[in-house]
Amino acid sequence: MERIPILKMGDVLLVTIQVDMHDQLALALQDDLTEKISHTGARGVLIDISAVEVVDSFMGRMIANIAAMARILDAQTVLVGMQPAVAITLVELGLTLPGVRTALNVERGMALLLAEVGSPSRSLLGEADGDGQG
Amino acid sequence: MERIPILKMGDVLLVTIQVDMHDQLALALQDDLTEKISHTGARGVLIDISAVEVVDSFMGRMIANIAAMARILDAQTVLVGMQPAVAITLVELGLTLPGVRTALNVERGMALLLAEVGSPSRSLLGEADGDGQG
């Protein structure tokens, strides 16, 4: 069975959706993604939908579900690369994607996540260095 | 027609191959990628094939072609995420992927590219700062 690959880049997991989502694939993606968040301790999830030309309510619900699951696992989700026509369709369908933030492209989404999440290990090290008691 | 999205991350373009490649799609990817290298001035190309379970000689030739085109446009190509079975198949087929470097995953591939390519603007700035005549 085909699976959607999840790429780890630092504290962020990147998912690129290129194929039509159906039930099985969506469930597999949810399983894989939650597993990978738990396993890697990722703090952010970037979902790129630049190749998606049609979004229906199923896809909208799947993205909202993934974002909700990620949030419970302490990871934030940013949806990037949405085509203009898809944005129009989403609003016309009344799908507001609650709890999902969006960015124009992967670079901006990554910047958004890094600004929010930061690099925990580095900030901890920074505090230890800067605020030492010695 | 479906197209494979090309994600820009700094000086690197990231391509994730999730679907079976056929002639049209491979040609479209070559067009899009060379266009994008030229347009963005990217110095590196990461091709992730972690979702690819079967590689045949067509796929091998396509990857070698993309790497050759990228090289002419002054960008280096790194192939990442290859599954063990695919590596076995490639060697058994006698496909050595000349001119293409590989890395285990996206993070290592990105590190490899950044180490080779660096950030040109930053290194230029660094030289100007460090080697000033004032």
Side-chain angles (χ1 to χ4, degrees):
Chain A
M1 197 189 83
E2 60 186 353
R3 282 189 173 247
I4 295 178
I6 300 167
L7 308 179
K8 179 174 178 294
M9 313 193 74
D11 278 341
V12 173
L13 301 179
L14 174 63
V15 180
T16 313
I17 296 178
Q18 299 178 13
V19 292
D20 287 335
M21 297 299 284
H22 47 79
D23 282 15
Q24 278 301 103
L25 194 58
L27 286 179
L29 178 60
Q30 288 175 3
D31 282 355
D32 292 349
L33 193 59
T34 47
E35 180 70 31
K36 196 131 182 174
I37 292 173
S38 159
H39 189 248
T40 63
R43 303 295 308 276
V45 176
L46 273 178
I47 303 178
D48 174 77
I49 56 167
S50 57
V52 175
E53 289 174 357
V54 180
V55 165
D56 53 8
S57 60
F58 172 72
M59 177 82 114
R61 201 168 60 244
M62 186 207 68
I63 291 172
N65 279 353
I66 285 179
M69 291 170 193
R71 200 176 315 118
I72 295 176
L73 294 170
D74 193 23
Q76 302 189 29
T77 303
V78 176
L79 191 66
V80 302
M82 189 183 293
Q83 293 187 14
V86 170
I88 293 170
T89 309
L90 279 180
V91 170
E92 285 179 350
L93 284 175
L95 293 172
T96 53
L97 296 179
V100 181
R101 278 179 308 172
T102 54
L104 190 64
N105 55 37
V106 171
E107 279 184 320
R108 292 199 191 174
M110 187 73 87
L112 183 64
L113 278 176
L114 292 182
E116 293 265 334
V117 167
S119 174
S121 55
R122 197 170 293 176
S123 66
L124 281 175
L125 283 174
E127 277 175 28
D129 281 343
D131 198 20
Q133 308 225 347
Chain B
M1 198 188 83
E2 60 186 353
R3 284 192 170 244
I4 294 177
I6 300 167
L7 308 179
K8 179 175 178 294
M9 313 192 73
D11 278 342
V12 174
L13 300 180
L14 174 64
V15 180
T16 313
I17 295 178
Q18 298 178 14
V19 292
D20 287 335
M21 298 298 285
H22 46 79
D23 283 16
Q24 278 302 104
L25 193 58
L27 287 178
L29 178 60
Q30 287 175 3
D31 282 356
D32 291 349
L33 193 60
T34 47
E35 180 69 32
K36 194 129 184 176
I37 292 172
S38 159
H39 188 248
T40 63
R43 303 294 309 276
V45 176
L46 273 178
I47 303 179
D48 174 77
I49 58 167
S50 58
V52 175
E53 288 174 358
V54 180
V55 166
D56 53 8
S57 61
F58 172 72
M59 177 81 116
R61 202 168 59 244
M62 186 207 69
I63 290 171
N65 279 354
I66 285 179
M69 292 171 192
R71 200 176 314 118
I72 296 176
L73 294 170
D74 192 23
Q76 302 190 28
T77 302
V78 176
L79 192 65
V80 301
M82 189 183 294
Q83 293 187 16
V86 170
I88 294 171
T89 309
L90 279 179
V91 170
E92 285 179 351
L93 284 175
L95 294 171
T96 54
L97 297 179
V100 181
R101 277 180 308 170
T102 53
L104 190 63
N105 54 38
V106 171
E107 279 185 319
R108 292 199 192 174
M110 187 73 87
L112 183 65
L113 279 176
L114 292 183
E116 294 265 333
V117 166
S119 174
S121 55
R122 197 171 293 176
S123 66
L124 281 175
L125 284 174
E127 277 174 30
D129 281 348
D131 198 20
Q133 309 226 347

